[in-house]
Amino acid sequence: MSDLSQPGDQPRQPSSPETRKRAFKLLFFSLTCLGMGQSLMFANLPPIARELGFSEFHVGAIFMVSAIFWVFCSPMLGRRSDIWGRRPVILVGLIAYAVSTAAFGFIIQMALWGWLSVVPAVVLLVLARILYGALGAGTIAAGQAYVADRTSRAERVRAVAGMNAGFSLGVTIGPGVGAALVVFGLLMPFYGIALLALASAVSLYLMLPEQTPPKGQAMRPRLSPFDRRVLPFLLASIMITTVQALTIQTAAFYFMDVLGLAAAETVQYVGVGLMASAMAAVLAQLAIIPRLNPSAQFLMRIGCVIGIAAYVMFLLADSYGPLVFALVISGLAFGLARPGIAAAASLSVRQDEQGSVAGLVGATGAAGHVISPIFAMPLYKIDPSLPYLAGVILFALFGLMVMLNGTIRRAGRSLAEEGQGGPDSPTSL
């Protein structure tokens, strides 16, 4: 991939705070592009799919297959970034994302022209999303590792939260950007987001510093997901992301059933609630965490408490206001707990394993979207409140892990390489 020189072949000069800040801003924008594309797909594909005659199964398959590839490829790409360097993996992910999104729009255009029937169109759309799931995952994994390489242990929570906020911000504004671009054509949102991602990749290629040379492939053993240093964090993250996924997947049905809404009203009411939830997560990551600079353990504990309160409120709510408030505080819980888990996992492994652990944690986000449909919708058919009761239980189990698991309690307190400098220390880019 890039320069294949060995460690020590390139001079490493300390970077200025301004250089590091610019690098983090570029990464923030790239993750915002990814987030915009993610929410754009969820918002724009269903009505287009209905016009093309796709079934709900077809739409679900398009997202499900991509998520499965993300689960398996994110750890691999994180490991590659430990070997090749962060920037090549970030760039490959962004370019793949841009190509996938543009191809997605073009395939839909061919279907609208009548050049593709339903089955070939769905197969091609699945393949386009596989490109995103298989390679796009590298941008998030390598981006988080890049930040971990260049922050001190005391700065890690705040920095990881900032990167998470980039993706969350993109998710929040994605539907709005799509609505603005659709005035130029039904498929312009796909092409517009692809162009933004490509522009971000060019900017990163030209301006993102990477002075750390690639490492030999056999330099370190692969970080296993069953490694006792990371397994508790992966299990905790799967619990949280599964709750988040089941909320997204059932919220519209729940609003409709609890409030007795028509379909058109449901779209409006749930849209406001989900956007408010996403904004609460962004607020937590861009304002609350940077201002307070709490420990990773504190973020996990307070996220658990707020999460339990949110899902109890879902169970008790019988009007619009409490339901929206439950969505808002659930977004706050995710915005606090998920960066806490990611930062604690980062602090529990060596510096040369940052890409590997970021890839593993990144895989859990997609895993939640794979796991949730397996039980959330069957539970909903039995009783609409059961998925939200499951949310209470999963948050409670998460809280027990945070309090009782020794690995989580010790995260970041000691590490064999703590205090050692090196090419990836906070003073070097």
Side-chain angles (χ1 to χ4, degrees):
M1 292 297 295
S2 85
D3 181 14
L4 296 179
S5 58
Q6 295 302 311
D9 291 345
Q10 299 179 17
R12 304 178 190 118
Q13 300 297 326
S15 63
S16 66
E18 291 74 18
T19 301
R20 188 166 63 139
K21 185 179 293 185
R22 183 188 67 191
F24 287 3
K25 286 180 179 178
L26 289 170
L27 282 175
F28 183 93
F29 179 72
S30 70
L31 295 182
T32 300
C33 288
L34 287 177
M36 283 194 290
Q38 187 77 348
S39 59
L40 178 73
M41 287 289 179
F42 282 112
N44 287 32
L45 180 58
I48 294 173
R50 183 157 292 179
E51 183 174 340
L52 292 172
F54 293 1
S55 69
E56 287 78 4
F57 172 79
H58 292 142
V59 175
I62 292 169
F63 292 124
M64 178 74 74
V65 174
S66 173
I68 291 171
F69 270 81
W70 188 290
V71 169
F72 289 101
C73 293
S74 179
M76 180 193 71
L77 292 166
R79 168 67 175 167
R80 292 296 97 188
S81 78
D82 285 334
I83 298 168
W84 295 333
R86 312 303 183 197
R87 188 170 67 170
V89 177
I90 293 170
L91 291 175
V92 167
L94 274 175
I95 293 169
Y97 167 66
V99 172
S100 168
T101 306
F104 204 89
F106 184 64
I107 293 164
I108 291 174
Q109 183 66 76
M110 289 193 293
L112 290 171
W113 285 337
W115 294 0
L116 292 172
S117 60
V118 169
V119 173
V122 170
V123 170
L124 289 175
L125 290 173
V126 167
L127 291 175
R129 287 295 288 178
I130 285 175
L131 178 63
Y132 168 63
L135 296 177
T139 297
I140 295 179
Q144 182 177 310
Y146 186 98
V147 169
D149 289 343
R150 291 151 178 84
T151 51
S152 68
R153 297 169 65 74
E155 298 171 311
R156 190 70 48 82
V157 173
R158 185 165 46 192
V160 169
M163 290 301 104
N164 274 273
F167 189 84
S168 298
L169 179 62
V171 170
T172 304
I173 66 176
V177 172
L181 292 175
V182 81
V183 300
F184 301 104
L186 180 63
L187 301 178
M188 188 54 66
F190 297 101
Y191 300 133
I193 296 295
L195 284 174
L196 281 177
L198 190 59
S200 177
V202 171
S203 299
L204 288 172
Y205 177 77
L206 295 175
M207 294 186 285
L208 186 72
E210 170 100 79
Q211 294 182 8
T212 304
K215 302 174 177 64
Q217 185 161 355
M219 191 171 179
R220 291 289 185 184
R222 179 175 300 174
L223 184 64
S224 168
F226 301 104
D227 189 309
R228 62 183 183 180
R229 295 173 298 163
V230 299
L231 180 59
F233 301 107
L234 301 183
L235 294 176
S237 185
I238 288 173
M239 290 179 190
I240 297 301
T241 56
T242 299
V243 177
Q244 191 170 21
L246 74 83
T247 307
I248 294 170
Q249 292 162 5
T250 64
F253 297 109
Y254 197 62
F255 271 59
M256 185 178 292
D257 291 337
V258 171
L259 304 179
L261 300 175
E265 293 175 309
T266 302
V267 171
Q268 294 176 339
Y269 286 13
V270 174
V272 170
L274 290 176
M275 181 170 289
S277 180
M279 290 175 65
V282 173
L283 176 67
Q285 294 162 353
L286 283 184
I288 297 175
I289 294 175
R291 181 176 294 273
L292 299 179
N293 196 22
S295 68
Q297 284 81 4
F298 177 81
L299 287 179
M300 289 186 281
R301 289 170 186 157
I302 194 66
C304 173
V305 172
I306 295 173
I308 290 174
Y311 285 84
V312 169
M313 184 169 294
F314 273 120
L315 294 172
L316 298 177
D318 59 359
S319 60
Y320 180 63
L323 281 174
V324 170
F325 187 63
L327 279 175
V328 170
I329 61 174
S330 71
L332 184 62
F334 299 130
L336 295 170
R338 292 190 64 180
I341 295 170
S346 171
L347 291 167
S348 297
V349 300
R350 295 187 304 263
Q351 198 67 42
D352 61 335
E353 295 173 315
Q354 291 301 319
S356 297
V357 76
L360 288 170
V361 174
T364 62
H369 285 274
V370 174
I371 294 170
S372 175
I374 296 173
F375 74 92
M377 295 315 296
L379 284 177
Y380 193 92
K381 289 182 179 179
I382 297 171
D383 189 301
S385 66
L386 288 181
Y388 298 90
L389 178 59
V392 174
I393 294 171
L394 287 173
F395 261 112
L397 291 174
F398 169 60
L400 287 174
M401 284 191 66
V402 173
M403 290 188 295
L404 301 179
N405 184 270
T407 300
I408 294 178
R409 293 203 315 270
R410 292 190 301 270
R413 294 181 184 174
S414 63
L415 196 66
E417 296 180 358
E418 185 167 357
Q420 294 182 8
D424 289 332
S425 67
T427 59
S428 175
L429 283 170

